[in-house]
Amino acid sequence: MSASLEKGVNALREQVDSTVAAFFSSCVHCGMCAEACLFYTETGDAERTPINKTEPLRRIWKYEYTLFGRILKLLGLAKPVDEELLTEWETLVYDSCTMCGRCSMVCPVGIDITGVIRKTREGMAAAGHAPKGLIGATQRAITIGSPMGVKLPALQAQIRHVEEDLGLKVPVDVEGADYMLLLSSMEIMNFPEFIDALTRIFDKAGVSWTISSQAFEATNSGIQIGVSDLAAELVQRIVDAAEKLKVKTVISPECGHAYFAIRWDGPNLVGKPFGFKVRHILEVLDELRRDGRLKTSGFEEQKITYHDPCQITRRGGVVDEPRNLIGMIAKNFVEMPEHGKMNWCCGAGGGVSANERADEIRLQVFQRKKSQLDEIHAEAIVSACSNCRIYLEDGLEAHNMEIPVLSLTETLAEHLED
Amino acid sequence: MNDRSGAKDMTLGAALRAQGVSRRGFLKFCAATASMMAMSPAMIPRVAQALEHARRPSVIWLSFQECTGCTESLTRSYAPTVESLIFDAISLDYHHTLQAASGHAAEAARKAAMEENQGKYLLIVDGSIPLDNPGYSTIAGISNLDMLQTTAAGAAAVIAIGTCASYGGIPHASPNPTGAVSVSDIITDKPIINVPGCPPIPVVITGVLTHFLTFGSIPELDDLGRPLAFFGQSIHDRCYRRPFYDKGLFAETFDDEGAKKGWCLYKLGCKGPTTYNACATTKWNNGTSFPIESGHPCLGCSEPDFWDGGGFYKSISMPTSDISTTVVYTAAAAAAVGAAAGAASRYKKKASKAAHSKVGVDDLEK
Amino acid sequence: MTEIEFLSWVRGPGFQIASIVLVAGIIIRIAEILLLGRAANLAEPKGSEMSNGIRTIFTRSIPDAGTLRKSSVTLTAGYIFHIGLFVTIFLFAPHILMFKDVIGFGWPSLPTQIVDALTVVSIIALLVVLVHRLTNKVLRFLNNFEDLLVWFVTIAPLVTGYIAFHRIGFTAPALIGIHILSVELLMVVFPFTKLMHAFTIFIARWYNGAISGFRGVES
């Protein structure tokens, strides 16, 4: 119970670097970021303008890291970073932002607004201004090992089901395997068919893989709440397990923030490069496809579209792989208007789904995704993030839309050639 | 040159006829002058009538810190012109360069003219007046300042001919070692017409005189005291090379292709845009040419402080101080300040990292 | 002060002061940004930082179709006045002479009529920008004193330059003097405001491209 304003302000100070300084120096108040953010376009609340969400960090940069700003502060003309500001900004920095990254793509002067919002979260969280739901998820992730409270026995139970169903072994703690698979709690609890699918695909392709009983959780709540110390702790568990099992590559499953956390943030969090590679499951599957080790037959009849999970596509770099894979099993594929790296967020990432206070707004901004779908009249949506899947389903249900949301991996497995 | 005997009571018309100017010639002059003054043709008979019956006014011309260029401009012509004739037709009672008398006789003539025409004579001044030390410029032991003040007291109006008398001119240029000032800096209770130029165009002078003789008043002046008829447009607005300026065709040096083709001289420092005079229309030497037409940029000589305008060959849009050097020194100093500021920022960041307290699960709430 | 004295001052000490503030301000601010540095990225890259950074400096000027539709007023008026400013400042003969005096070399100019027309177009675009800024919901929320000050010091040289060129109102020396003074005001205000984006945009866009490019995404 020792969050404090002082810690929060210090955390913000630590976050200022040349990128932050260049970004804040360049903002011309054009307002284009608002038009790119679904939390503004679907609510009309101007305070949700992305660059506005960064105000606490901006004040620290201006009044402590610029000569002119320091002079203004000496003259008593500085705008403060106090409890009032942070309290007011809670719903802007957390409830109204999934860190989807669209604003960063659109800003004409090139500000990576999303990255700056992520940095702002460090200060908010250290000052005790993170949302309760997200704090709870993070605490569970650290103490139990999963934000949803999933423990090893639960996973083992699911694994037994899969082994019984398929008559195949799910390798656990196999030293020297090529790949170590991570799983998100969401998949373990809600979409265990994913484990099913992968087991079959890897078996057919002859992939050498394993799951670690020590570190199987992919989801990184530390990233979402914005506390690098905790995110690092979670990543370290995976690093320890990967090193112990001497694997070559760690696979991040169908979970958005998990991929970003382990692939792009990971080494920087723990302070040294990894001795192993990190790949998203789609990258692995695409490689199998290229090597001819993934063979499918038949095609989906329905009109399919692909929802690009923000953290995997725009923020993660896995843009072409899903399309290559869908091309294997879909004849009637249609892209959403504004797809790929310009796709619109499902509205549930970045910790929003763990935050009950944000339920209402999350459903409100789903309207953006609905407009996209309305334009193309898709009969099914394929995606590669279980969080997106669950909350797309949630939103569709709220609007009485009966469009199935499928996992790309599972759909591939269904078409696996016997 | 000046036949003053018996001619004092002659009207202007009679005097001109006595000089052999025909009625036709006289009317031609009136028409030319009227059009120069931007008067309608209907005014020509009025001008003719006024000049015909005008009493030859007494004119006293005082020359102070000047180069005599203004007088030269007025009188130097290769053929007699009506301008010089009208000049002959006035009663020029005192003028250093032109008068026959000298010494004490000259000063006596001046005093006599002042007494006889008290309140009615025209005072013409060229040259500036030094204030720092009266000894810098004296006439017959009298300082310019004293002579101006006593002579102006009884004048009907004062005409300051040339930029020196109008605004201080060359002597007034930085650092102004003599403390030179203009006529209007000293005389404040008489109507003053400034006819600047270094020197002014001859017909401008006679045009002002004609106006005075015709209407008995001074013409409409701009806010620098110059007759609008002659100083109402800038050189730039009447320059025949203007189309080249508008098209962006400039001579870069005095003898390049552009110069030979007669392109605009803006880049060579022409002050046409900020200079008001009749040079581009009336021209010099009976309409022969003017500086720009001869290939030299306008100096801006009818404007105050044209000597201190940054240089004749520095364009108006160029800064007058050495900005390059300023920028180099500023950049060096700024780099030092920037390095210091940057160092301070890095130190602050380092300190904040050192002050980092690890956030554990129990540190997320207050 | 006479008109000529005023013109001489703005061409002389005035320009010097403004140049000092402008140059010192820009250098200090850029130094402040760059000297902070950033931590090295220890992850395994998927793409090149340098080439993507440079790429984004250019491509960020080309909006995607959806963004263009949503922010059409901002983008259209914005581009028009930026291009107009570039032409009127850098391609007008008298201005090029000023640069030649300061930096030692000049370059060809555009015909004056084109510059004149673009001045009018730019002024209209800036008026549209102001109306938009005062009526758009997001902008009304974001607006502060600086936004209005910067708008003013940007449009003033265009308006006063147009007036001086066409000799509307007072006499030439005063009009030209006012124009030069308005430019000096812009120069003095520049380093303390968002006008710095003229320089920092290259740094920010590079960082944006580098950060995304590292992860294999062209931004």
Side-chain angles (χ1 to χ4, degrees):
Chain A
M1 299 294 162
S2 63
S4 72
L5 176 66
E6 200 190 310
K7 284 186 185 173
V9 169
N10 193 67
L12 288 176
R13 285 196 190 113
E14 289 182 75
Q15 292 304 314
V16 176
D17 64 2
S18 56
T19 68
V20 169
F23 293 149
F24 281 133
S25 299
S26 305
C27 175
V28 294
H29 275 181
C30 73
M32 280 175 66
C33 54
E35 298 290 353
C37 173
L38 79 171
F39 285 90
Y40 167 72
T41 61
E42 306 312 308
T43 64
D45 290 334
E47 55 183 7
R48 297 190 213 268
T49 302
I51 197 63
N52 182 50
K53 297 167 184 167
T54 64
E55 182 65 10
L57 184 56
R58 189 195 71 84
R59 290 187 187 184
I60 295 292
W61 161 77
K62 177 164 181 176
Y63 299 111
E64 304 205 8
Y65 284 95
T66 67
L67 181 59
F68 182 50
R70 285 198 280 260
I71 293 171
L72 286 175
K73 191 168 180 187
L74 268 169
L75 296 171
L77 296 168
K79 291 195 179 141
V81 176
D82 52 17
E83 282 295 337
E84 202 185 314
L85 181 75
L86 298 187
T87 307
E88 208 186 318
W89 250 251
E90 250 188 72
T91 51
L92 299 179
V93 177
Y94 286 103
D95 303 32
S96 309
C97 179
T98 54
M99 296 201 289
C100 81
R102 251 182 141 263
C103 50
S104 301
M105 298 293 285
V106 154
C107 172
V109 297
I111 303 175
D112 177 16
I113 305 176
T114 312
V116 180
I117 293 175
R118 165 68 183 86
K119 283 170 174 280
T120 309
R121 287 188 179 186
E122 293 279 346
M124 298 288 287
H129 284 277
K132 286 219 168 356
L134 199 42
I135 292 176
T138 308
Q139 286 169 335
R140 285 190 296 275
I142 295 286
T143 53
I144 300 173
S146 142
M148 287 170 75
V150 174
K151 296 198 182 122
L152 183 58
L155 172 63
Q156 285 167 330
Q158 295 290 31
I159 289 177
R160 270 198 304 276
H161 285 306
V162 170
E163 288 177 332
E164 275 162 26
D165 279 343
L166 302 178
L168 293 167
K169 191 98 179 72
V170 173
V172 176
D173 292 333
V174 172
E175 198 177 301
D178 284 343
Y179 295 94
M180 183 177 102
L181 175 70
L182 302 171
L183 292 163
S184 67
S185 296
M186 191 69 84
E187 281 157 339
I188 298 170
M189 295 317 296
N190 296 324
F191 302 115
E193 306 82 29
F194 178 75
I195 310 173
D196 212 282
L198 269 187
T199 309
R200 287 176 53 222
I201 293 174
F202 284 163
D203 176 70
K204 268 275 175 335
V207 171
S208 141
W209 67 292
T210 185
I211 295 176
S212 163
S213 62
Q214 251 188 285
F216 55 82
E217 177 63 60
T219 325
N220 194 315
S221 303
I223 296 296
Q224 296 169 339
I225 199 172
V227 178
S228 294
D229 289 338
L230 296 173
E233 212 179 304
L234 296 170
V235 168
Q236 191 61 48
R237 294 175 189 172
I238 299 172
V239 173
D240 291 339
E243 284 175 349
K244 182 153 173 241
L245 293 178
K246 300 190 179 60
V247 297
K248 293 206 187 78
T249 305
V250 168
I251 302 180
S252 187
E254 287 191 349
C255 171
H257 285 273
Y259 180 61
F260 193 95
I262 187 75
R263 176 78 173 86
W264 300 119
D265 266 354
N268 298 308
L269 289 168
V270 301
K272 56 184 227 265
F274 290 162
F276 50 86
K277 291 208 182 90
V278 178
R279 292 290 179 267
H280 189 267
I281 184 60
L282 292 182
E283 291 180 281
V284 174
L285 293 175
D286 194 49
E287 210 182 309
L288 293 177
R289 177 195 66 85
R290 281 202 308 271
D291 293 342
R293 290 160 72 184
L294 177 64
K295 289 197 175 61
T296 60
S297 66
F299 290 91
E300 292 286 318
E301 295 299 321
Q302 47 195 346
K303 193 177 190 189
I304 289 186
T305 187
Y306 180 68
H307 164 82
D308 288 282
C310 306
Q311 300 302 319
I312 294 172
T313 311
R314 175 168 45 250
R315 308 263 298 155
V318 181
V319 189
D320 297 324
E321 291 86 340
R323 284 154 178 89
N324 297 339
L325 293 165
I326 291 176
M328 294 176 84
I329 48 97
K331 263 208 171 81
N332 195 356
F333 176 69
V334 58
E335 294 275 17
M336 277 190 269
E338 299 188 291
H339 55 271
K341 65 186 185 194
M342 289 311 284
N343 186 38
W344 288 91
C345 182
C346 68
V352 168
S353 55
N355 178 0
E356 296 94 38
R357 186 179 60 194
D359 274 350
E360 202 184 313
I361 193 169
R362 179 175 50 76
L363 281 167
Q364 198 183 350
V365 302
F366 178 79
Q367 189 58 41
R368 186 91 279 277
K369 187 51 63 176
K370 180 175 179 302
S371 326
Q372 277 191 300
L373 294 166
D374 285 342
E375 260 191 76
I376 55 169
H377 303 294
E379 287 159 354
I381 306 169
V382 174
S383 192
C385 165
S386 5
N387 202 49
C388 291
R389 277 175 68 193
I390 276 242
Y391 288 99
L392 282 172
E393 279 175 0
D394 205 34
L396 289 166
E397 200 186 299
H399 287 270
N400 296 315
M401 292 167 79
E402 297 207 356
I403 307 175
V405 185
L406 315 168
S407 142
L408 179 47
T409 307
E410 288 170 32
T411 312
L412 280 169
E414 276 166 31
H415 286 268
L416 211 49
E417 216 176 53
D418 290 312
Chain B
M1 196 183 225
N2 283 307
D3 178 12
R4 278 182 61 228
S5 54
K8 264 211 296 252
D9 297 319
M10 236 196 255
T11 64
L12 196 78
L16 283 171
R17 273 194 297 281
Q19 308 251 355
V21 179
S22 69
R23 177 85 186 148
R24 198 146 181 266
F26 172 67
L27 283 172
K28 261 175 92 175
F29 168 73
C30 292
T33 307
S35 106
M36 210 88 71
M37 303 280 296
M39 295 185 218
S40 87
M43 290 297 291
I44 299 171
R46 170 111 190 255
V47 173
Q49 221 222 0
L51 289 182
E52 172 76 52
H53 295 108
R55 279 232 29 200
R56 297 172 67 219
S58 166
V59 174
I60 297 179
W61 183 305
L62 299 178
S63 298
F64 296 142
Q65 290 193 136
E66 40 78 60
C67 69
T68 311
C70 296
T71 300
E72 291 287 335
S73 169
L74 192 58
T75 60
R76 189 72 41 192
S77 52
Y78 62 89
T81 64
V82 273
E83 286 95 316
S84 52
L85 284 175
I86 192 161
F87 199 60
D88 289 341
I90 59 175
S91 180
L92 188 58
D93 294 331
Y94 183 88
H95 188 304
H96 286 165
T97 318
L98 301 177
Q99 66 195 12
S102 66
H104 291 294
E107 295 311 307
R110 177 170 65 80
K111 289 206 179 68
M114 281 165 67
E115 276 162 26
E116 280 167 31
N117 299 284
Q118 179 77 306
K120 287 182 277 188
Y121 59 86
L122 266 181
L123 172 58
I124 298 182
V125 180
D126 67 341
S128 62
I129 302 100
L131 290 185
D132 271 9
N133 187 324
Y136 284 142
S137 178
T138 64
I139 300 162
I142 306 166
S143 74
N144 292 169
L145 175 64
D146 287 341
M147 188 171 278
L148 175 62
Q149 282 169 333
T150 39
T151 314
V158 183
I159 304 180
I161 303 249
T163 306
C164 289
S166 302
Y167 309 120
I170 293 183
H172 185 267
S174 176
N176 193 352
T178 63
V181 297
S182 67
V183 171
S184 43
D185 283 334
I186 295 168
I187 305 300
T188 50
D189 58 349
K190 296 282 174 183
I192 302 177
I193 306 167
N194 288 327
V195 184
C198 191
I201 297 173
V203 74
V204 175
I205 301 172
T206 51
V208 168
L209 281 171
T210 306
H211 187 287
F212 190 76
L213 292 171
T214 310
F215 300 104
S217 64
I218 58 174
E220 210 181 329
L221 306 175
D222 70 4
D223 57 3
L224 280 171
R226 306 176 289 198
L228 274 170
F230 296 104
F231 295 90
Q233 299 95 31
S234 64
I235 306 297
H236 186 63
D237 285 339
R238 292 284 180 271
C239 181
Y240 78 103
R241 295 196 181 194
R242 182 65 180 274
F244 293 113
Y245 172 88
D246 289 338
K247 282 207 203 81
L249 296 168
F250 301 96
E252 308 273 346
T253 67
F254 280 108
D255 60 355
D256 67 0
E257 278 309 302
K260 288 176 188 153
K261 286 190 187 141
W263 286 357
C264 175
L265 301 170
Y266 186 93
K267 288 194 178 185
L268 288 167
C270 183
K271 302 299 184 297
T274 51
T275 306
Y276 289 81
N277 207 338
C279 312
T281 47
T282 307
K283 301 197 195 176
W284 296 81
N285 294 324
N286 298 339
T288 302
S289 181
F290 71 112
I292 292 169
E293 193 173 340
S294 305
H296 192 281
C298 166
L299 306 179
C301 72
S302 56
E303 300 297 323
D305 297 319
F306 76 97
W307 287 98
D308 293 330
F312 293 147
Y313 304 107
K314 211 162 196 188
S315 311
I316 296 166
S317 59
M318 286 180 169
T320 53
S321 29
D322 184 1
I323 298 293
S324 324
T325 311
T326 306
V327 165
V328 167
Y329 282 126
T330 305
V337 174
S345 291
R346 285 180 80 97
Y347 177 76
K348 177 176 272 275
K349 181 144 181 213
K350 207 163 151 205
S352 69
K353 280 216 166 348
H356 177 86
S357 57
K358 194 144 181 236
V359 180
V361 271
D362 292 325
D363 300 320
L364 297 171
E365 283 160 314
K366 280 204 269 282
Chain C
M1 194 183 246
T2 68
E3 270 184 60
I4 280 282
E5 275 170 3
F6 169 62
L7 179 61
S8 297
W9 187 86
V10 296
R11 283 177 72 206
F15 200 78
Q16 256 190 323
I17 295 168
S19 301
I20 290 172
V21 174
L22 178 71
V23 169
I26 291 173
I27 291 178
I28 291 174
R29 284 210 65 172
I30 293 185
E32 271 183 338
I33 292 170
L34 297 176
L35 287 175
L36 271 169
R38 61 172 180 142
N41 197 331
L42 303 171
E44 183 203 337
K46 195 168 176 182
S48 155
E49 280 204 322
M50 180 53 79
S51 63
N52 278 292
I54 292 173
R55 191 183 169 279
T56 297
I57 290 177
F58 297 101
T59 58
R60 196 47 75 101
S61 293
I62 309 163
D64 63 280
T67 305
L68 180 56
R69 232 178 307 119
K70 274 192 173 317
S71 310
S72 51
V73 176
T74 303
L75 283 164
T76 312
Y79 266 114
I80 291 176
F81 88 76
H82 274 87
I83 292 170
L85 277 173
F86 177 78
V87 168
T88 53
I89 296 174
F90 294 104
L91 298 179
F92 182 51
H95 296 166
I96 296 174
L97 281 174
M98 183 273 290
F99 286 115
K100 189 170 177 184
D101 193 62
V102 176
I103 60 177
F105 62 89
W107 48 86
S109 60
L110 273 182
T112 309
Q113 297 102 314
I114 295 182
V115 177
D116 197 43
L118 272 165
T119 305
V120 175
V121 168
S122 304
I123 291 173
I124 294 174
L126 275 168
L127 289 170
V128 168
V129 163
L130 181 68
V131 169
H132 185 57
R133 188 165 272 295
L134 297 175
T135 55
N136 174 276
K137 185 195 276 195
V138 170
L139 296 175
R140 281 164 68 109
F141 175 80
L142 292 172
N143 283 345
N144 55 21
F145 171 72
E146 190 187 301
D147 292 314
L148 297 170
L149 173 67
V150 166
W151 179 86
F152 176 77
V153 299
T154 304
I155 203 174
L158 283 167
V159 170
T160 57
Y162 185 82
I163 290 176
F165 182 78
H166 287 278
R167 210 67 52 72
I168 308 164
F170 310 126
T171 46
L175 292 176
I176 296 180
I178 290 172
H179 172 62
I180 298 177
L181 187 66
S182 75
V183 173
E184 286 163 10
L185 180 64
L186 171 65
M187 288 164 77
V188 160
V189 158
F190 193 103
F192 300 97
T193 62
K194 66 185 189 183
L195 284 168
M196 277 301 298
H197 80 276
F199 293 89
T200 60
I201 195 174
F202 297 98
I203 309 175
R205 283 184 177 184
W206 189 89
Y207 277 138
N208 192 303
I211 290 169
S212 272
F214 187 93
R215 302 195 285 249
V217 177
E218 284 177 350
S219 69

